[in-house]
Structure formats: structure tokens, C-alpha cells
Amino acid sequence: YRGLPLREGVATLALAGGVLTAGVDGLRAAGGTIAATATVDASRPTTALAYRATISGVQARPVLQALAGTDRLSGTAAFEARGEARGRSQKELVGTLGGDGRFRFRDGAVHGVNIAAALRRARTLGLDAAAGEAQKTDFAELGGSFVIADGVVETRDLHLQAPLLQLDGGGRAALPPRTLDYQLIAKLVGTLEGQDG
């Protein structure tokens, strides 16, 4: 699918009485497994949507390239999410979306930005020669959880543990108006032991 090899798995699709049920189970891709189910009930005037997804041991970068057209994040990913929505239009479905989930990426990198180098450059007024390093931020773990209520995604425990950097954050993303209110707190660590303490 879009250049992503799908090694094996089972896909099911059923439509009866205006209810569509679809799912994949044991889908092997990018070194891990994916399982997901979704139900769309259009048997009444207001459509109901419900979904559940679990990803385990998947290499994030090729999956994100195939599904989202971005290669900014790499690492071994674990992800769980579930949710539901009701509405007569796509906008109403997004505005009533509710659910929760959690995610974790291990031994990866955020590509295109070197947060530690940017902080060092600011701290030394641009005089640190090491601040011009490769544009990626390696990390040991990046993770958090989220809750969705009425189309607003809230995260309070985002964390990133990297050799020279610790990052914590939280905030809200409102999906229908596409607004973001988020705070990130970054700390430089003096030694390579920073990711453990």
C-alpha cells in the first residue's frame, strides 16, 4: 500500500442493514503488527462511527510515509486508540468525536529539527560550534496519552527522554476549528545519563 509491504494478515468487510463493519487482524507491516476495527452505522438519520486500533512493534517512519506523507518521526511504535462519534456530516462527526488512547516510540528520532542544538545555540548566544549538528533529535522514548471529548484532543503527559534533553508537554488541539494550545518545556542535561534521570 503506497510502497509499504504488507506481509500477512486478515481483512474483513461486512455490510448489512445500513451498518458497515470493517477490520484487519494480525496485519504484519514495517516489522510489527496492526489490528483495527471500525463500524459505521448509517441505518438512522444520524450516522454513528466507532473504532478501535492497536499497533505494536511497528517501525514508524515507513508507515508515516505511506499513510501521512511525512518522514519526520522514526522509532519503534506502540499505539492504542478507541473512539466514537455521531453526526449527519463530516463536520458533525469530528465535532462529536470522543475517545482515548496512548502512544510510545522507542529508540527513534524527530527529523528536521535538533532541539538540543537549538537550545545550546540560544544558551551560548550562537557561539557554540557544536550547535550546528545534524537536523534531528534522537531519543530513547517519546510517549504520552490522550483523551478526546467533543472533537478536542487533550494530552497532559507528553514526554521525551533523550541523551542530552528532556521534554515534557501538554495541551489541547481542537479539531473542528483546527486550533492548538500546547506548552512544551525543554531541559538540557549536562551528561549522556540525562535520559535515565
Side-chain angles (χ1 to χ4, degrees):
Y1 178 76
R2 295 184 178 179
L4 180 68
L6 305 177
R7 304 298 179 193
E8 61 181 275
V10 176
T12 58
L13 184 67
L15 177 61
V19 179
L20 174 67
T21 304
V24 293
D25 190 28
L27 183 64
R28 296 190 56 79
T33 58
I34 301 170
T37 59
T39 302
V40 180
D41 184 349
S43 63
R44 299 178 182 181
T46 301
T47 299
L49 167 69
Y51 67 89
R52 180 182 295 268
T54 303
I55 296 174
S56 178
V58 169
Q59 293 303 309
R61 202 169 194 192
V63 173
L64 290 173
Q65 284 177 319
L67 300 182
T70 180
D71 62 353
R72 300 292 298 267
L73 186 63
S74 63
T76 304
F79 177 82
E80 294 179 22
R82 63 180 179 174
E84 56 187 26
R86 291 184 171 275
R88 298 176 186 232
S89 66
Q90 181 182 5
K91 184 176 180 180
E92 283 187 12
L93 285 169
V94 173
T96 62
L97 183 63
D100 56 51
R102 59 179 164 263
F103 58 93
R104 184 178 67 184
F105 298 86
R106 295 188 64 89
D107 301 322
V110 179
H111 300 268
V113 62
N114 188 328
I115 299 172
L119 290 173
R120 275 197 303 274
R121 193 165 45 248
R123 188 174 68 180
T124 63
L125 301 177
L127 300 177
D128 184 359
E133 299 166 6
Q135 292 303 302
K136 71 174 186 172
T137 302
D138 294 314
F139 59 81
E141 181 172 305
L142 167 64
S145 60
F146 59 89
V147 175
I148 309 172
D150 296 326
V152 178
V153 183
E154 184 169 7
T155 303
R156 296 186 178 183
D157 59 354
L158 178 73
H159 66 277
L160 180 142
Q161 295 176 336
L164 296 173
L165 176 73
Q166 293 179 353
L167 189 69
D168 295 293
R172 297 157 56 98
L175 300 179
R178 297 182 181 180
T179 59
L180 181 67
D181 180 7
Y182 214 88
Q183 181 179 26
L184 295 174
I185 300 173
K187 296 179 183 177
L188 280 176
V189 180
T191 71
L192 289 173
E193 298 175 357
Q195 63 190 19
D196 298 321

